[in-house]
Amino acid sequence: MPKESKLQIIPLGGLGEIGKNTTAIRYNNQILIIDAGLAFPDEDMYGVDLVIPDYTYLIENKDLILGILITHGHEDHIGGLPYLLRHFNVPIFGTRLAIGLVQYKLTEAKLGQITTQVIQPGETIKLGSFAIDFINGSHSIPGSVGLALHSPLGTIIHSGDFKLDHTPVSGEVLDIHKFSELGDKGVLCLLSDSTNVERPGFTKSERLVGENIDKAFAGAEGRVIFASFASNVNRLQQAITAAFKYHRKVAAVGRSMVNVVSIAAELGYLHVPEDTLIDVDEAMCLPSNQVCILTTGSQGEPMAALTRMANHNHRQISIYPGDTVILSASPIPGNEKAVSRNIDQLFKLGAKVIYESLSGMHVSGHASQEELKLMLSMVKPKYFIPVHGEYRMLMKHAELAVQVGIPRENIFVAEIGNVIEFTRHGAKLANNVTAGRVFIDGLGIGDIGSSVMKERSLLSQDGILIIILAFDSATNTILTGPDVVTRGFVYVRESNAILDEVKAITRETIARSIQNGIHETNLLQNRVRDAVSRHLYAKTKRRPMVIPIFQEV
Amino acid sequence: MPKESKLQIIPLGGLGEIGKNTTAIRYNNQILIIDAGLAFPDEDMYGVDLVIPDYTYLIENKDLILGILITHGHEDHIGGLPYLLRHFNVPIFGTRLAIGLVQYKLTEAKLGQITTQVIQPGETIKLGSFAIDFINGSHSIPGSVGLALHSPLGTIIHSGDFKLDHTPVSGEVLDIHKFSELGDKGVLCLLSDSTNVERPGFTKSERLVGENIDKAFAGAEGRVIFASFASNVNRLQQAITAAFKYHRKVAAVGRSMVNVVSIAAELGYLHVPEDTLIDVDEAMCLPSNQVCILTTGSQGEPMAALTRMANHNHRQISIYPGDTVILSASPIPGNEKAVSRNIDQLFKLGAKVIYESLSGMHVSGHASQEELKLMLSMVKPKYFIPVHGEYRMLMKHAELAVQVGIPRENIFVAEIGNVIEFTRHGAKLANNVTAGRVFIDGLGIGDIGSSVMKERSLLSQDGILIIILAFDSATNTILTGPDVVTRGFVYVRESNAILDEVKAITRETIARSIQNGIHETNLLQNRVRDAVSRHLYAKTKRRPMVIPIFQEV
């Protein structure tokens, strides 16, 4: 008897958190992956560089994977590819800019052998039992699409990241006709972007930012230093347009800014008038009112170009009175303090700083409530899965869907690893698959777990105190030491007294333990650790990690 | 020849940062201190509990200090008192609630001998050559005042923290008549609150929040758990009023909430109907629709009551489906992620969470641009010093003052330690005094400097690796070891290979160094540290702190 056909939606990232968007769509023994993003670490992920999803499910089923569909070229949608594709080789499908950015990334990771294929918005491709429509979207990067995956059990629509922008800078308009048409034909399930679900109304058009950018350029006397996400290509376009209008040459600074500008310009997504783009070195030689610098660092990232400029340690560019610095991005939650520090520093250096909360220099690339309702109304899905948001946003998006008329029992506020399974008879949650987050620290992928993180957290709070001695267990005597080494605990030069106390307590504890018949090094170390920890807490109310190391000679 | 009289304004905190507001006003040999606040640490101040100003200037001039004037009872205005007053004993002046909160703090710090004096808003006191008016303000805590300090060289006005609230909950209205009258008579210098200078328009009335709180209580079915700053007494009043109206008893949870509620109620600032306030234990026995819990933790502070509830580890209170949690506070910059995590957790536990960005459950206690202009227009100061804000806010406030007609050259955008000096001939910046920030970590005040902080930062990123061996320098042989201990670097059980490499490199480096005639322990340790660090970076792209400890036996 043939098993009943099943269609499964398996979110592996981007639910309950922002970033690392990765979703598996499985029809019987065929898997498609939508996006493969990464996330940046929270401040309590000590030493972590990047976060990717746990790929166990995909690796275990790698022979079933037909390909990876990319909705757009942002890091939270493509940044995981180099880590995913070391496990298997499957083709990648996306629009021209998305694929351009993907190829750069793969080449850097020495994964140039991976097949990529450029798909035009409006095109349909066939992979296994799936037919897939690439549907024009509208977002802060050109070449953003939504996807319709037609399977024998019905159509799944993934909104991608989108907003409704009737006057987009890129000329790309959300294809409401296509979404509506699909809705009319019947959609089994919609997955839709929840990023801005907490905002009422409509998100403003990118073009409004352009007007403010124009004004800022018109009023600028010295250099214009324009900071934004490198990946916000539409924003860069507007800065370049303004620069050209006001007779300024443009130089890109910061690795990702240089890359994106060159890739987007080469692929024709960024329209740069001839002779406008120059090197930073050239820019340094021009009069300041003929210069515009595009730079990274709008989030206050410690190593980014603008942060270095603010702190006076950028190799090439210093900030001078008369410079106008435009921050054309909102701080992502968690970055507010770092951004504020940069702004303060730039002001102190004499720059005129134009930043978002005062200036209309940023609009979001994501749909607000009314646009989200429009998407739901156009698509009229039978089932709905809010994606791309923290848990409370998914909940809120579910509420909107109920308002629009989707029955509450047809909405899945899912977590990563959940399997939402469709058969001819309906939908249900099937057994979970392995899912989670994997930390990347340096070259290590997934080797930093909760125990190492806990140690880093403890070390960051009160440091470490190490007690070393050489011990002759034959005679029960201390041969050398105890010596005490600390890091991050106290300022050693002013702390001789307490370190002497630690030594005395170590000697006493050992002597007393031996009197009580305790000789084993491990036990002695434990007793000393406890006694010293207690003493340090009583004296300082701090809890450094205490590590006694007794060498038996 | 008598020296010319001088009046100096010396900000020691609250400029270029939010928090630890502390200002010295000096007339010849008489000093008044306005407020003595603390700040909470930024996320890069590892292990720091609190931050206070450097009090060197005040300690060196303690014999000149006439008293401390308190504008209101918030931590960023009174939290530094226990640290300041261990250096000298001077009287403290403030309104009844401010003094009530100060006394509690001093008693806790065993500084009960300090004299305090309650001043009514509207009263004037004399201290040395100063006459000081306490002027009714309007802020999120009752008993907030502005101050006018009349000196022989002119009048200085300090706005305190204020907003213009025509329908305040406390019944206290900003005394615009007094500020106007003083303005008419002539004011030498105004110091004014810059917290909300980035917000256009007027700050909304606290009463509007009350309407939303009422609605939330009206719709709540299970318990209402109301989180806000304990010190936002007007907000607590509105929650208590709503609880009473909807027949709920009120229990306070969290140390500071319990304290403030009891002090404010006792002093008559919080109007609690009889039998409304109960213990948490009692509340646990009531039907859930008769309970309101006032709790700390609106900022996602890890140890606060609401955070514990969200994480299911509060001793007394668990969250159940049906509970309504109201977050009646905005996240302070830096706290956004922690607050979001709490909200997500509470949603997952089944609570209905009403939080600010959706709900109108919070308004600020600080004046927006139009109110700040009103203050400037009423007071018409000759000179202006924006205070209580980060540098960019001070700059913005200076712009507003220029718009209102204050000459740019009469505005001082100052930094802490600056001395703004007035004589009969005018105003200028005199020589700076010592100023800065002092970290409190456990019992240590100021012993954590930049070197210890740097170590904690390094430890937090990649941990530590310790290499121990016992060495016989007579024979140049290793007696025991090398042993390797790591914390926060790698997961040890899976890292035997790399730790073995470290041991091998240690042995080789020592052998080669000795061949080259290097015997001294220090030098050997340095060489091993460098060789091991290089190897670890090449292998892992991580930079743990490497500490070789060679014991000579």
Side-chain angles (χ1 to χ4, degrees):
Chain A
M1 198 178 90
K3 270 181 29 181
E4 189 185 33
S5 282
K6 288 176 187 170
L7 180 65
Q8 296 178 325
I9 298 177
I10 309 170
L12 295 171
L15 289 193
E17 72 209 327
I18 298 288
K20 68 187 185 62
N21 297 283
T22 309
T23 309
I25 310 286
R26 179 170 180 161
Y27 176 72
N28 293 337
N29 280 329
Q30 303 174 0
I31 294 177
L32 290 175
I33 302 171
I34 300 179
D35 291 332
L38 56 72
F40 295 97
D42 290 350
E43 73 281 6
D44 60 351
M45 298 177 189
Y46 297 100
V48 171
D49 301 318
L50 301 170
V51 185
I52 56 172
D54 185 327
Y55 292 134
T56 303
Y57 173 77
L58 298 176
I59 295 166
E60 286 175 357
N61 293 285
K62 62 183 177 186
D63 297 334
L64 311 183
I65 300 171
L66 306 176
I68 304 175
L69 312 169
I70 300 295
T71 60
H72 62 287
H74 279 164
E75 285 298 310
D76 57 336
H77 294 258
I78 67 170
L81 286 172
Y83 303 96
L84 180 59
L85 292 170
R86 50 178 76 184
H87 300 292
F88 47 76
N89 181 342
V90 299
I92 303 173
F93 304 87
T95 60
R96 208 162 72 251
L97 181 57
I99 291 298
L101 293 166
V102 164
Q103 277 174 336
Y104 177 82
K105 194 169 279 294
L106 294 179
T107 307
E108 248 193 337
K110 304 196 171 43
L111 291 166
Q113 80 285 3
I114 303 286
T115 307
T116 58
Q117 191 177 329
V118 169
I119 312 293
Q120 298 295 336
E123 270 188 71
T124 300
I125 61 172
K126 256 195 83 65
L127 290 171
S129 304
F130 291 98
I132 302 139
D133 301 327
F134 283 66
I135 309 166
N136 229 341
S138 182
H139 185 45
S140 50
I141 187 169
S144 294
V145 294
L147 300 168
L149 283 64
H150 305 284
S151 81
L153 277 174
T155 297
I156 294 170
I157 291 190
H158 191 297
S159 72
D161 288 3
F162 78 100
K163 67 191 273 192
L164 183 68
D165 191 337
H166 297 291
T167 57
V169 169
S170 62
E172 295 172 346
V173 188
L174 184 75
D175 190 344
I176 49 179
H177 302 94
K178 183 69 184 177
F179 283 111
S180 300
E181 179 198 322
L182 290 166
D184 278 343
K185 288 186 184 157
V187 171
L188 180 64
C189 184
L190 169 68
L191 290 75
S192 184
D193 175 8
S194 312
T195 309
N196 270 357
V197 70
E198 297 182 338
R199 300 198 192 170
F202 282 84
T203 302
K204 286 184 182 158
S205 171
E206 177 68 24
R207 200 166 291 273
L208 292 180
V209 177
E211 295 168 13
N212 294 317
I213 291 176
D214 188 284
K215 263 183 235 156
F217 271 77
E221 289 166 8
R223 294 177 302 178
V224 173
I225 293 155
F226 187 92
S228 109
F229 281 108
S231 59
N232 194 334
V233 173
N234 293 331
R235 193 64 49 77
L236 302 184
Q237 180 65 65
Q238 305 209 81
I240 291 169
T241 303
F244 181 72
K245 176 171 170 189
Y246 294 102
H247 313 294
R248 291 172 184 267
K249 305 287 185 192
V250 177
V253 175
R255 192 159 159 273
S256 61
M257 187 62 78
V258 171
N259 291 339
V260 170
V261 167
S262 82
I263 292 171
E266 193 188 310
L267 296 177
Y269 280 102
L270 204 50
H271 306 288
V272 188
E274 218 169 325
D275 296 330
T276 298
L277 221 49
I278 59 173
D279 279 348
V280 179
D281 292 334
E282 277 182 82
M284 294 295 100
C285 304
L286 288 175
S288 60
N289 62 0
Q290 294 173 24
V291 174
C292 168
I293 308 275
L294 300 182
T295 181
T296 54
S298 64
Q299 296 299 306
E301 309 92 318
M303 306 306 284
L306 186 67
T307 308
R308 290 178 183 274
M309 295 177 210
N311 294 317
H312 241 320
N313 59 10
H314 191 273
R315 201 166 44 85
Q316 296 164 299
I317 301 173
S318 299
I319 300 290
Y320 299 110
D323 287 343
T324 297
V325 179
I326 300 175
L327 281 177
S328 186
S330 276
I332 289 175
N335 295 345
E336 293 86 352
K337 280 249 171 180
V339 173
S340 297
R341 266 194 295 262
N342 269 3
I343 296 172
D344 285 342
Q345 287 300 324
L346 293 165
F347 266 122
K348 286 187 189 171
L349 293 172
K352 180 177 170 193
V353 189
I354 304 177
Y355 57 102
E356 197 257 333
S357 67
L358 297 176
S359 66
M361 279 297 170
H362 180 68
V363 297
S364 173
H366 296 272
S368 298
Q369 288 173 3
E370 294 309 313
E371 293 151 280
L372 295 172
K373 288 183 201 163
L374 180 68
M375 178 61 79
L376 284 156
S377 298
M378 287 191 297
V379 171
K380 295 186 290 184
K382 182 161 183 197
Y383 296 96
F384 175 56
I385 306 174
V387 294
H388 207 289
E390 297 181 21
Y391 190 78
R392 66 181 187 285
M393 304 176 188
L394 307 181
M395 292 287 285
K396 181 73 195 168
H397 206 168
E399 282 306 316
L400 289 192
V402 169
Q403 288 170 24
V404 170
I406 299 184
R408 195 176 287 276
E409 62 274 18
N410 286 7
I411 301 173
F412 292 89
V413 175
E415 301 190 32
I416 54 171
N418 283 172
V419 176
I420 299 108
E421 183 173 284
F422 303 89
T423 62
R424 276 182 303 135
H425 307 296
K428 64 165 190 187
L429 279 179
N431 288 337
N432 285 0
V433 303
T434 304
R437 60 191 184 186
V438 169
F439 296 145
I440 297 174
D441 176 8
L443 297 180
I445 301 172
D447 65 332
I448 301 294
S450 58
S451 63
V452 173
M453 201 60 71
K454 176 85 184 158
E455 288 174 357
R456 289 182 181 175
S457 166
L458 289 174
L459 288 168
S460 77
Q461 290 304 298
D462 290 322
I464 191 167
L465 182 142
I466 308 158
I467 305 164
I468 316 100
L469 56 83
F471 191 74
D472 182 347
S473 51
T475 61
N476 283 331
T477 49
I478 298 174
L479 295 177
T480 53
D483 295 322
V484 177
V485 175
T486 76
R487 291 291 187 276
F489 169 50
V490 288
Y491 187 51
V492 175
R493 291 195 194 174
E494 293 172 357
S495 307
N496 283 330
I498 197 158
L499 302 186
D500 284 343
E501 289 164 21
V502 167
K503 291 177 192 171
I505 290 170
T506 301
R507 283 196 208 92
E508 284 159 26
T509 306
I510 292 176
R512 203 172 44 247
S513 299
I514 287 173
Q515 274 176 13
N516 293 335
I518 294 162
H519 303 267
E520 218 215 310
T521 310
N522 260 348
L523 293 179
L524 291 176
Q525 290 182 158
N526 286 348
R527 296 209 158 197
V528 167
R529 190 187 56 228
D530 292 348
V532 168
S533 296
R534 260 198 314 274
H535 182 73
L536 294 177
Y537 186 71
K539 282 285 205 166
T540 67
K541 292 275 184 275
R542 296 179 198 168
R543 300 188 189 280
M545 225 181 241
V546 174
I547 305 193
I549 306 174
F550 298 169
Q551 294 203 290
E552 279 189 76
V553 180
Chain B
M1 197 177 92
K3 273 181 28 182
E4 189 185 34
S5 282
K6 287 176 186 169
L7 180 65
Q8 296 178 326
I9 298 177
I10 309 169
L12 295 171
L15 288 192
E17 71 207 329
I18 299 288
K20 68 187 184 65
N21 297 284
T22 310
T23 309
I25 310 287
R26 178 171 180 161
Y27 175 72
N28 293 337
N29 280 328
Q30 303 174 0
I31 295 177
L32 289 175
I33 302 171
I34 300 178
D35 291 333
L38 56 73
F40 295 98
D42 289 351
E43 73 280 7
D44 59 351
M45 299 177 189
Y46 297 99
V48 171
D49 301 317
L50 301 169
V51 186
I52 55 172
D54 185 327
Y55 292 132
T56 303
Y57 173 76
L58 298 176
I59 295 166
E60 286 175 358
N61 294 285
K62 62 183 177 186
D63 295 334
L64 311 183
I65 300 171
L66 306 176
I68 303 174
L69 311 169
I70 300 296
T71 61
H72 61 288
H74 280 164
E75 284 299 310
D76 56 336
H77 294 257
I78 66 170
L81 286 171
Y83 303 97
L84 181 59
L85 291 172
R86 49 178 78 183
H87 300 292
F88 46 77
N89 181 342
V90 297
I92 303 172
F93 304 87
T95 60
R96 207 162 73 248
L97 181 56
I99 291 298
L101 293 165
V102 164
Q103 277 175 336
Y104 177 81
K105 195 170 277 297
L106 295 179
T107 307
E108 249 192 338
K110 302 197 173 40
L111 290 166
Q113 80 285 3
I114 303 284
T115 306
T116 58
Q117 191 177 329
V118 170
I119 313 292
Q120 297 295 338
E123 270 188 69
T124 300
I125 61 170
K126 255 193 87 56
L127 289 172
S129 304
F130 291 98
I132 302 139
D133 301 328
F134 283 67
I135 310 166
N136 229 343
S138 182
H139 185 45
S140 49
I141 186 169
S144 294
V145 293
L147 299 169
L149 282 63
H150 305 286
S151 82
L153 277 174
T155 297
I156 294 170
I157 292 190
H158 191 298
S159 71
D161 289 4
F162 77 101
K163 68 189 275 193
L164 183 68
D165 191 337
H166 297 291
T167 55
V169 168
S170 62
E172 295 172 347
V173 189
L174 184 74
D175 191 344
I176 48 181
H177 300 95
K178 182 70 185 179
F179 283 111
S180 301
E181 179 198 321
L182 290 166
D184 279 343
K185 288 185 185 158
V187 171
L188 180 65
C189 184
L190 170 68
L191 290 75
S192 183
D193 175 9
S194 310
T195 310
N196 269 357
V197 70
E198 297 182 341
R199 301 199 192 169
F202 282 85
T203 302
K204 286 185 183 156
S205 171
E206 176 69 23
R207 199 166 292 273
L208 292 179
V209 178
E211 294 167 14
N212 294 318
I213 291 175
D214 187 285
K215 264 183 233 154
F217 272 77
E221 288 168 8
R223 292 177 303 178
V224 174
I225 293 155
F226 188 90
S228 109
F229 282 108
S231 58
N232 195 334
V233 173
N234 292 332
R235 193 65 48 79
L236 302 184
Q237 179 66 64
Q238 306 208 82
I240 291 170
T241 302
F244 180 72
K245 176 172 169 189
Y246 293 102
H247 313 295
R248 291 172 183 267
K249 304 288 185 189
V250 177
V253 175
R255 191 159 158 274
S256 61
M257 187 62 79
V258 171
N259 291 338
V260 171
V261 167
S262 80
I263 292 171
E266 193 187 312
L267 296 177
Y269 280 102
L270 203 53
H271 305 288
V272 187
E274 217 170 328
D275 295 331
T276 298
L277 220 51
I278 58 174
D279 280 347
V280 179
D281 292 333
E282 276 181 81
M284 294 297 101
C285 305
L286 287 175
S288 59
N289 63 358
Q290 294 173 24
V291 174
C292 169
I293 307 276
L294 301 182
T295 180
T296 54
S298 64
Q299 297 298 307
E301 309 94 316
M303 307 305 285
L306 186 67
T307 310
R308 290 177 182 274
M309 293 178 211
N311 294 317
H312 242 322
N313 61 9
H314 191 274
R315 198 166 46 84
Q316 295 164 301
I317 301 173
S318 300
I319 301 289
Y320 298 110
D323 287 342
T324 297
V325 179
I326 300 175
L327 281 176
S328 185
S330 276
I332 289 176
N335 295 346
E336 293 85 351
K337 281 251 172 179
V339 173
S340 296
R341 266 194 295 264
N342 269 4
I343 296 172
D344 285 343
Q345 286 302 324
L346 292 165
F347 266 122
K348 285 187 189 170
L349 293 173
K352 179 176 171 195
V353 189
I354 304 178
Y355 56 103
E356 197 257 332
S357 68
L358 296 177
S359 65
M361 279 298 171
H362 181 67
V363 297
S364 172
H366 296 271
S368 297
Q369 288 173 5
E370 295 308 314
E371 292 151 281
L372 295 172
K373 289 184 202 162
L374 180 68
M375 178 61 78
L376 284 156
S377 298
M378 287 192 296
V379 170
K380 296 187 290 184
K382 182 162 184 197
Y383 297 96
F384 175 56
I385 306 174
V387 294
H388 207 289
E390 297 182 21
Y391 190 77
R392 66 182 188 284
M393 303 176 189
L394 307 182
M395 292 288 285
K396 182 73 195 168
H397 206 169
E399 282 306 317
L400 289 193
V402 169
Q403 289 171 22
V404 170
I406 298 183
R408 197 176 284 278
E409 62 274 17
N410 286 7
I411 300 171
F412 292 90
V413 176
E415 301 190 32
I416 54 171
N418 283 173
V419 176
I420 300 107
E421 184 174 284
F422 303 89
T423 62
R424 275 181 305 133
H425 307 296
K428 64 166 190 186
L429 279 178
N431 288 337
N432 284 1
V433 303
T434 305
R437 59 189 185 186
V438 169
F439 295 146
I440 297 173
D441 176 8
L443 297 180
I445 301 172
D447 65 332
I448 301 295
S450 57
S451 64
V452 173
M453 201 59 72
K454 176 85 182 156
E455 288 173 358
R456 288 181 182 176
S457 167
L458 290 173
L459 289 167
S460 78
Q461 290 304 296
D462 290 324
I464 192 167
L465 181 142
I466 307 158
I467 306 165
I468 315 99
L469 56 82
F471 192 72
D472 182 346
S473 51
T475 61
N476 282 332
T477 48
I478 297 174
L479 296 178
T480 52
D483 295 323
V484 178
V485 174
T486 76
R487 291 289 187 276
F489 169 50
V490 289
Y491 187 52
V492 176
R493 291 196 194 174
E494 292 172 357
S495 308
N496 284 330
I498 197 157
L499 301 186
D500 285 343
E501 289 163 21
V502 167
K503 291 177 192 172
I505 289 170
T506 301
R507 282 196 208 91
E508 285 160 25
T509 306
I510 291 175
R512 202 171 45 247
S513 301
I514 287 172
Q515 275 175 13
N516 294 333
I518 293 162
H519 301 269
E520 218 216 309
T521 310
N522 260 348
L523 293 180
L524 291 177
Q525 288 183 160
N526 287 348
R527 296 211 158 197
V528 167
R529 190 187 54 229
D530 293 348
V532 168
S533 296
R534 262 198 313 276
H535 181 75
L536 293 178
Y537 186 71
K539 282 286 203 163
T540 66
K541 292 275 184 275
R542 297 179 198 168
R543 298 190 189 280
M545 225 181 242
V546 175
I547 305 194
I549 305 174
F550 299 169
Q551 294 204 291
E552 278 190 78
V553 178

